[in-house]
Amino acid sequence: MPAIIGPVQIVNVSGGIVQFGDTVFISPKSASKVNAGSGGFNTGGIIFTANGLSGTNVLDANLIDQPIAGNN
């Protein structure tokens, strides 16, 4: 079924998928994984983080999370 859309303004696309109308398959072209501990992604001018003892569990039981080979 055709899609009827109104005005669209896309200011910035940094990865991802922009799709209008009908589709059969949508698949990502990139995948990533980030591990960070407590207070790992803080940003700002002055940051004080008192975490004490912090640990990040990075044991990943999945061998393949999101396969991207063959998704052309």
Side-chain angles (χ1 to χ4, degrees):
M1 180 173 209
I4 301 173
I5 59 172
V8 175
Q9 178 183 11
I10 300 174
V11 178
N12 184 14
V13 175
S14 177
I17 297 171
V18 178
Q19 185 264 329
F20 302 100
D22 298 336
T23 184
V24 175
F25 296 108
I26 295 180
S27 61
K29 300 300 179 195
S30 67
S32 64
K33 182 183 290 190
V34 176
N35 297 313
S38 169
F41 292 117
N42 290 336
T43 58
I46 299 172
I47 299 216
F48 174 74
T49 305
N51 296 325
L53 183 61
S54 176
T56 302
N57 181 11
V58 295
L59 177 64
D60 187 10
N62 304 16
L63 296 177
I64 300 174
D65 290 329
Q66 175 64 53
I68 59 172
N71 285 342
N72 293 327

